[in-house]
Amino acid sequence: MRRTLFDEDHEAFRETIRAFIEAEVVPVYDEWFAAGQAPRDFYYKLAELGVFGIRVDEEYGGAGIDSYKFEAVLYEETARAGVAFGGSGVHVLLGLPYIKLLATDEQKKRYLPKFVSGEEMWAIAMTEPGTGSDLAGMKTTAKLSEDGTHYVLNGAKTFITGGVHADRMIVCARTSAPTKEDRRHGISLFVVDTKAEGYSVGRKLDKLGLKTSDTAELAFVDVKVPVEDLLGEENKGFYYLGHNLASERWGIAFGAYAQAKAAVRFAKQYVQERVVFGQPVAAFQNTKFELAACQAEVDAAEAVVDRATEALDAGELTPAEAASAKLFTTEVAHRVIDRCLQLHGGYGFMNEYPIARLYADNRVNRIYGGTSEIMKTIIAKDMGL
């Protein structure tokens, strides 16, 4: 079946991104992998390419294109090359929706030009030590000062992608206690300057995969946040988080599909070149059957993410649909990548081969953005169960 998700503009963008990856990322990617993060200067290159401004209005320096399809191209092309753009994904996929949804005109004038230029990289801090997916259980607090000019932020966060390089951090904190009727009540969102006194970045976490994204622990000790940097209304943060989780989960779903598709590409290339017992590995019936089965799963995942992308662009992707897409594609990617690594034999276990890195990178897809178990809970609830 002919794919209809992308048009000529998307394909032209794809060619640009593919050439950029080959010139600017592939030659130095091993250095990033060893360092555990992409260099900060790389984000300026992405900004110059226009990556950060695609969905930002023209008045703030963006392209004003209200579509996630260009980001979908980025997922496909980075996976195809076996690379990643560091922690920049969270800047656009997680940071931007909150600015567009919640920021006042005054805030957009302050935030967006530097967002587009890469001068200020954004991330979001939700998860806390001991809370995991239970966001309503967060302990970080933000108390309004007596003179009403600022909030005082105290607490800690962990597993924060983009946490090392971030210049602006959207921090979720309690501004009032939960109620007996609703333990989610009382959470607010703040845009915090990471250079503020009392804000500190702790360990850069040593992860199983996603080695080039900077993931960190954060601490806040009496951090003063001007009232002008409250994002949205006080105490409505949990609602805002739920609203934007659909786009976050779409991103994870599409990224997982792209990884699965790339795994088949890597395995196909390997088995055609690798010779054992006097013939290419691709000549064995088992190899053909394994790759055929993987391709069928990738085709199904593609249909799911393409439908979800169209729904997201139309503003119609529901939380349950996003959860379903994430659950399905991440499970597909898990199976496909594992089978493709198996076809590499011992070489598949070596980090110099992209399938090994892909195997490690993929594992977190069933955890972050809500675990597979959380996705099943959301889907079941939508079914009336």
Side-chain angles (χ1 to χ4, degrees):
M1 294 180 288
R2 186 175 67 87
R3 196 178 190 192
T4 59
L5 185 65
F6 302 119
D7 61 23
E8 292 180 358
D9 289 338
H10 301 121
E11 296 305 330
F13 180 67
R14 184 188 303 279
E15 290 181 11
T16 299
I17 291 298
R18 188 172 296 183
F20 174 80
I21 289 172
E22 287 299 319
E24 300 289 345
V25 182
V26 172
V28 295
Y29 195 69
D30 286 345
E31 297 174 18
W32 298 3
F33 190 85
Q37 62 185 34
R40 178 65 175 81
D41 289 348
F42 173 69
Y43 299 144
Y44 288 110
K45 294 181 179 179
L46 288 178
E48 291 172 5
L49 203 60
V51 169
F52 296 155
I54 294 170
R55 289 190 290 109
V56 175
D57 291 342
E58 293 182 35
E59 64 181 297
Y60 304 116
I65 301 173
D66 192 18
S67 172
Y68 283 81
K69 292 180 181 179
F70 290 94
E71 288 171 45
V73 171
L74 288 171
Y75 282 120
E76 290 187 341
E77 290 305 307
T78 51
R80 178 186 180 277
V83 301
F85 284 171
S88 65
V90 72
H91 177 68
V92 176
L93 185 65
L94 299 190
L96 185 57
Y98 287 96
I99 303 174
K100 295 182 70 171
L101 175 69
L102 304 173
T104 64
D105 289 342
E106 184 275 331
Q107 287 176 322
K108 288 178 180 178
K109 290 177 182 177
R110 284 194 290 124
Y111 299 153
L112 286 174
K114 293 180 180 180
F115 179 99
V116 171
S117 69
E119 185 177 345
E120 289 186 348
M121 295 299 296
W122 286 58
I124 184 166
M126 302 185 209
T127 306
E128 295 185 359
T131 62
S133 296
D134 182 18
L135 295 179
M138 69 177 61
K139 304 296 183 183
T140 297
T141 61
K143 297 182 179 180
L144 188 63
S145 62
E146 292 184 2
D147 61 7
T149 61
H150 61 272
Y151 291 85
V152 180
L153 185 67
N154 283 281
K157 301 288 182 179
T158 192
F159 305 147
I160 308 306
T161 303
V164 175
H165 284 319
D167 303 289
R168 289 277 187 172
M169 183 68 66
I170 299 174
V171 178
C172 312
R174 284 208 163 275
T175 43
S176 64
T179 65
K180 291 183 179 180
E181 296 77 20
D182 186 4
R183 61 190 293 268
R184 299 171 297 182
H185 171 78
I187 295 172
S188 301
L189 306 184
F190 299 90
V191 177
V192 181
D193 185 342
T194 63
K195 296 185 293 295
E197 185 177 353
Y199 181 106
S200 62
V201 178
R203 290 188 302 147
K204 179 167 71 68
L205 300 174
D206 183 16
K207 306 182 298 296
L208 170 67
L210 302 180
K211 289 292 189 178
T212 64
S213 72
D214 50 310
T215 304
E217 296 174 330
L218 307 178
F220 321 109
V221 179
D222 294 335
V223 178
K224 293 182 179 179
V225 183
V227 293
E228 293 82 9
D229 285 326
L230 171 68
L231 200 56
E233 294 184 40
E234 197 176 86
N235 298 325
K236 291 189 176 181
F238 200 93
Y239 164 76
Y240 300 142
L241 294 173
H243 181 277
N244 282 334
L245 277 174
S247 60
E248 178 184 354
R249 287 167 179 163
W250 165 83
I252 297 170
F254 206 104
Y257 147 73
Q259 289 176 327
K261 182 178 180 180
V264 173
R265 176 176 178 266
F266 296 145
K268 179 182 176 183
Q269 181 179 7
Y270 179 82
V271 299
Q272 287 175 329
E273 296 174 352
R274 172 70 166 156
V275 175
V276 296
F277 302 113
Q279 60 182 327
V281 175
F284 293 93
Q285 186 183 62
N286 178 70
T287 303
K288 296 175 182 180
F289 282 5
E290 283 294 286
L291 284 178
C294 288
Q295 184 61 53
E297 291 218 75
V298 170
D299 287 344
E302 183 178 277
V304 169
V305 295
D306 284 7
R307 185 181 69 174
T309 304
E310 295 287 14
L312 182 63
D313 274 6
E316 299 172 354
L317 185 65
T318 68
E321 290 169 344
S324 178
K326 179 183 184 294
L327 176 65
F328 180 74
T329 60
T330 56
E331 293 293 339
V332 164
H334 162 65
R335 293 191 296 270
V336 167
I337 294 170
D338 184 75
R339 294 168 85 171
C340 288
L341 187 149
Q342 187 72 17
L343 289 173
H344 282 72
Y347 290 102
F349 205 64
M350 302 296 112
N351 273 327
E352 65 187 272
Y353 282 79
I355 192 69
R357 297 180 182 183
L358 196 59
Y359 184 87
D361 289 350
N362 168 74
R363 186 58 185 89
V364 76
N365 288 335
R366 291 179 287 150
I367 299 174
Y368 67 178
T371 64
S372 291
E373 291 72 27
I374 294 293
M375 298 304 100
K376 292 174 184 176
T377 301
I378 293 169
I379 297 165
K381 183 177 181 180
D382 186 67
M383 295 170 65
L385 298 174

